[in-house]
Amino acid sequence: MEALISPELGFIVIFLAALFLFGEFLVRAKGLFGIIGCLLFVYYFAYHLTNQTSTYVVGLLIVGLILIIIDGKLLVNGSVAALGLLLMIISCALPAPTFFYGTLVSIAFIIGVSCSFFFLKYMPRRIYWSKLLLKDQLSTEKGYNSINESYQFLVGKEGIATTSFRPVGTIKIEGQLYSAVTNGVWIESESKIKVISVDGTKILIEKI
């Protein structure tokens, strides 16, 4: 435990903690990355926290994590997630014994989060990450139709949900893939769906 008196060791611990914790958000690691990341955060905070600082610092960390999850699951625009990241960085820096130590672990957190994106190259990504990037919905190379006003012909047609909807996802109708939304209703992948309306390029569906 005394090893964490060194800013360099603190840097490594926070880097790895952020790397694995956010890697868990991005790819399907069966919880292993999440466990490793959480244990490393516990190791760091167990050394640095005091009775006076523990409550609000841990609170900042938890609130930041919740905001990131909310953004990934519901909002999918990154604004709330950015605030969550900021709160988590602050929570790591506050208990540091010196300004230099705090700055170093803040940088380590940012680098760890950035490096976690490399997991996307080698492991299957989570559905809500695909939804955030919108690559699967908008890639013409994979057979998706480009955004245009011809979607009106889809009204009333039936198809299959190729991803889960929370509430955004992808549907297949007559061999073509389209990005669509629901009225806030969760729809499982492979469910039969029907297009109920089209507003410009917004395709609204319901489960059959």
Side-chain angles (χ1 to χ4, degrees):
M1 189 73 77
E2 291 297 326
L4 281 179
I5 195 171
S6 165
E8 291 77 13
L9 260 296
F11 178 94
I12 294 173
V13 169
I14 292 299
F15 167 77
L16 293 175
L19 175 71
F20 285 109
L21 182 60
F22 283 88
E24 181 68 34
F25 290 155
L26 299 176
V27 299
R28 301 172 189 171
K30 298 182 179 180
L32 179 61
F33 284 2
I35 292 172
I36 295 174
C38 288
L39 288 176
L40 288 169
F41 273 119
V42 169
Y43 176 56
Y44 174 81
F45 286 115
Y47 177 79
H48 287 293
L49 289 181
T50 65
N51 291 333
Q52 290 75 27
T53 62
S54 59
T55 302
Y56 76 87
V57 169
V58 173
L60 283 177
L61 183 73
I62 294 174
V63 170
L65 192 58
I66 291 173
L67 290 177
I68 293 170
I69 293 172
I70 289 174
D71 195 303
K73 291 287 188 179
L74 300 176
L75 304 178
V76 203
N77 60 20
S79 58
V80 175
L83 176 59
L85 283 172
L86 179 61
L87 291 179
M88 293 186 73
I89 292 172
I90 293 173
S91 72
C92 292
L94 282 177
T98 66
F99 178 79
F100 174 72
Y101 200 131
T103 302
L104 207 59
V105 295
S106 298
I107 295 172
F109 188 97
I110 295 170
I111 295 175
V113 172
S114 301
C115 289
S116 69
F117 286 82
F118 285 105
F119 289 130
L120 292 171
K121 292 185 177 181
Y122 308 105
M123 301 179 69
R125 65 182 61 190
R126 292 189 180 275
I127 291 175
Y128 64 79
W129 176 242
S130 297
K131 180 176 65 177
L132 177 62
L133 289 180
L134 293 178
K135 285 183 177 178
D136 287 341
Q137 289 84 356
L138 301 178
S139 173
T140 55
E141 291 82 2
K142 293 185 178 181
Y144 292 85
N145 279 11
S146 59
I147 296 176
N148 56 64
E149 294 299 326
S150 66
Y151 287 169
Q152 288 292 336
F153 78 94
L154 294 173
V155 176
K157 291 197 174 184
E158 298 179 0
I160 297 292
T162 60
T163 66
S164 296
F165 279 74
R166 301 188 181 95
V168 180
T170 307
I171 59 174
K172 178 181 283 188
I173 297 177
E174 298 177 351
Q176 295 294 327
L177 299 172
Y178 304 89
S179 178
V181 298
T182 69
N183 278 323
V185 178
W186 189 82
I187 297 179
E188 304 88 346
S189 177
E190 302 303 322
S191 298
K192 292 184 178 180
I193 57 88
K194 181 178 181 180
V195 177
I196 57 176
S197 70
V198 173
D199 182 9
T201 58
K202 179 182 177 182
I203 303 171
L204 186 64
I205 66 165
E206 65 179 7
K207 185 176 180 180
I208 300 176

